[in-house]
């Protein structure tokens, strides 16, 4: 099936340039070009658009307003800004309706790859209502106490950025959004940032304050919907797995890039569970009941009740938000790594092994579903079989 991509820009020469650049995609994409937001919305009444890429500054309706409308009329459509706009305040206001921001001039190969990745991951979810729900997510809920602590620290006359960073590292809601924003092309960072401390340092206190106080991007989760014990266990598991990842990678002397990607993937690998519990709590409670009564695996229960797994849902959201492919793929395949057909196995292997080790080292952790079998064939292909007992022993000591 051809992917339908819509480009919106009020400058004719920009649209002409895009037409020339995208000729090589004609076998994969059906591409539409319009010169205004109103024309874009009219066209979307006639076609199911997979992804829209809009300029920011346009007369009548700017890119942010357009994508906010698209978010309502076609929620499953992936939403991108491609603009030369450089006003930080204006750009920050696009954070809600915009999945990713590309600055002009931009690497068209990167834009093509980004759009294709998002659409291909969405295809795994199949259910349009579900994909629309995920694509409408502007931020993930935060742990109430962490949210309160960050707000209180930011209100001080001289906030401690080190303390704020440490708090953000312990919260999926804050940390995922910070990485989405810092890796926006608008900030012009030459290399992708996967390290939370670097991300917070780069954004600075003013941007963090804007996100919290003026744009109100963040919110605490509703304890009536998500049991506090569930969230505590989720964060404890994620952070402990990330700690195990760091210990093994430092022991093996892998590169800093692999460490950052693997650590971040470990922090976010169960973000899909948070999405399930936040946006479809009744169904996720059914998942937990099926696991308890039928003694099936977590993955089987999720597929039976919801139709998709937490790995697929989490990976799709983080792909839309622009996290690195290595992080997204590690999350997507962390329970079934043999399904991954790429040759870059390090991040995936680290996450798969440490997630398995966590439940071996914490057999008492039954409050939250988890604990899938080790994919021994995948480990053998990676040449890591002999390292497993060494790593397990080292982590047992650390425990």
């Amino acid at each position: 099936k051809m992917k339908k991509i819509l480009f919106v820009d009020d400058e004719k020469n920009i649209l002409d340039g895009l037409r020339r650049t995208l000729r090589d995609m004609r076998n994969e994409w059906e591409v539409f070009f319009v010169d205004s937001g109103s024309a874009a919305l009219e066209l979307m009444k006639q076609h199911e658009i997979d992804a829209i890429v809009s300029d920011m500054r346009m007369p009548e309706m700017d890119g942010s307003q357009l994508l906010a409308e698209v978010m309502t009329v076609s929620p499953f459509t992936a939403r991108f800004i491609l603009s030369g706009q450089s006003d930080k305040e204006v750009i920050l206001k696009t954070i809600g309706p915009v999945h990713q921001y590309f600055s002009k001039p931009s690497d068209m190969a990167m834009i093509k790859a980004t759009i294709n990745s998002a659409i291909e991951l969405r295809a795994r979810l199949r259910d349009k209502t579900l994909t629309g729900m995920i694509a409408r997510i502007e931020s993930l809920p935060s742990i109430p106490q962490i949210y309160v602590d960050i707000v209180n620290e930011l209100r001080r006359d001289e906030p401690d950025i080190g303390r704020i960073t440490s708090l953000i590292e312990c919260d999926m809601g804050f940390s995922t959004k910070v990485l989405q924003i810092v890796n926006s092309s608008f900030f012009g960072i030459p290399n992708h940032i996967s390290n939370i401390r670097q991300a917070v340092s780069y954004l600075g206190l003013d941007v963090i304050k804007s996100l919290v106080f003026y744009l109100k991007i963040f919110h605490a989760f509703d304890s009536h919907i998500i049991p506090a014990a569930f969230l505590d266990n989720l964060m404890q598991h994620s952070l402990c797995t990330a700690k195990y990842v760091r210990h093994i990678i430092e022991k093996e002397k892998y590169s800093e890039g692999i460490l950052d990607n693997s650590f971040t993937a470990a922090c976010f690998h169960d973000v899909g569970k948070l999405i399930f519990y936040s946006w479809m709590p009744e169904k996720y409670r059914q998942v937990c009941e099926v696991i308890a009564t039928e003694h099936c695996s977590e993955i089987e229960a999720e597929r039976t009740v919801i139709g998709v797994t937490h790995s697929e849902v989490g990976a799709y959201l983080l792909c839309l938000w622009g996290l690195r492919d290595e992080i997204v793929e590690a999350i997507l395949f962390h329970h079934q790594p043999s399904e991954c057909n790429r040759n870059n196995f390090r991040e995936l292997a680290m996450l798969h092994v440490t997630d398995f080790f966590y439940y071996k080292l914490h057999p008492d952790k039954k409050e939250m579903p988890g604990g899938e079998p080790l994919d021994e064939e995948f480990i053998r292909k990676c040449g890591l079989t002999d390292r497993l007992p060494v790593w397990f022993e080292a982590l047992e000591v650390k425990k």
Side-chain angles (χ1 to χ4, degrees), residues 373-390:
L374 189 72
D375 188 335
E376 294 181 10
E377 178 63 16
F378 169 78
I379 297 301
R380 186 188 63 76
K381 284 181 180 176
C382 293
L384 298 174
T385 305
D386 294 342
R387 301 304 298 155
L388 292 193
V390 178

Side-chain angles (χ1 to χ4, degrees), residues 206-253:
D206 287 345
V207 170
I208 301 294
K209 281 182 178 178
S210 292
L211 297 173
V212 173
F213 295 128
Y214 307 116
L215 303 179
K216 301 188 186 301
I217 292 295
F218 301 107
H219 60 285
F221 79 91
D222 185 343
S223 58
H224 296 296
I225 296 175
I226 308 178
F230 172 86
L231 202 65
D232 288 343
N233 285 315
L234 179 68
M235 291 308 302
Q236 183 183 22
H237 167 62
S238 300
L239 294 172
C240 190
T241 305
K243 181 178 74 175
Y244 289 169
V245 162
R246 181 182 294 280
H247 185 64
I248 290 174
I249 289 179
E250 287 175 349
K251 188 177 186 67
E252 296 297 311
K253 295 182 169 56

Side-chain angles (χ1 to χ4, degrees), residues 153-321:
E153 188 64 39
L154 287 171
R155 282 183 172 144
R156 291 177 57 188
D157 292 339
E158 295 184 13
D160 183 339
I161 194 164
R163 173 166 160 69
I164 290 168
T165 303
S166 297
L167 289 166
I168 288 174
E169 281 187 309
C170 295
D171 186 85
M172 282 188 196
F174 272 95
S175 52
T176 51
K177 203 65 184 175
V178 162
L179 286 181
Q180 178 196 12
I181 294 164
V182 80
N183 288 303
S184 155
S185 295
F186 160 68
F187 285 99
I189 300 170
N191 300 310
H192 198 287
I193 291 179
S194 300
N195 182 299
I196 298 294
R197 289 192 168 270
Q198 287 179 10
V200 174
S201 174
Y202 195 93
L203 290 178
L205 282 174
D206 287 345
V207 170
I208 301 294
K209 281 182 178 178
S210 292
L211 297 173
V212 173
F213 295 128
Y214 307 116
L215 303 179
K216 301 188 186 301
I217 292 295
F218 301 107
H219 60 285
F221 79 91
D222 185 343
S223 58
H224 296 296
I225 296 175
I226 308 178
F230 172 86
L231 202 65
D232 288 343
N233 285 315
L234 179 68
M235 291 308 302
Q236 183 183 22
H237 167 62
S238 300
L239 294 172
C240 190
T241 305
K243 181 178 74 175
Y244 289 169
V245 162
R246 181 182 294 280
H247 185 64
I248 290 174
I249 289 179
E250 287 175 349
K251 188 177 186 67
E252 296 297 311
K253 295 182 169 56
Y254 292 156
S255 71
E256 193 72 23
I258 290 175
L259 172 57
D260 286 345
N261 290 339
S262 302
F263 186 88
T264 301
C267 287
F268 301 153
H269 72 280
D270 280 344
V271 72
K273 295 179 184 179
L274 185 57
I275 294 170
F276 282 155
Y277 229 140
S278 301
W279 280 271
M280 46 179 68
E282 289 303 322
K283 280 193 176 292
Y284 196 61
R285 287 191 195 97
Q286 288 176 40
V287 169
C288 298
E289 287 169 13
V290 168
I291 294 169
T293 57
E294 299 185 18
H295 306 291
C296 63
S297 76
E298 179 180 33
I299 298 300
E300 290 170 334
E302 289 173 348
R303 287 206 187 283
T304 298
V305 176
I306 303 175
V308 296
T309 68
H310 69 276
S311 309
E312 292 167 327
V313 166
Y316 179 52
L317 178 67
L318 298 182
C319 174
L320 284 176
W321 285 5

Side-chain angles (χ1 to χ4, degrees), residues 51 90 98 108 178 187 220 287 349 362 396:
V90 172
V98 178
M108 191 51 67
V178 162
F187 285 99
V287 169
H362 300 85
E396 215 169 11

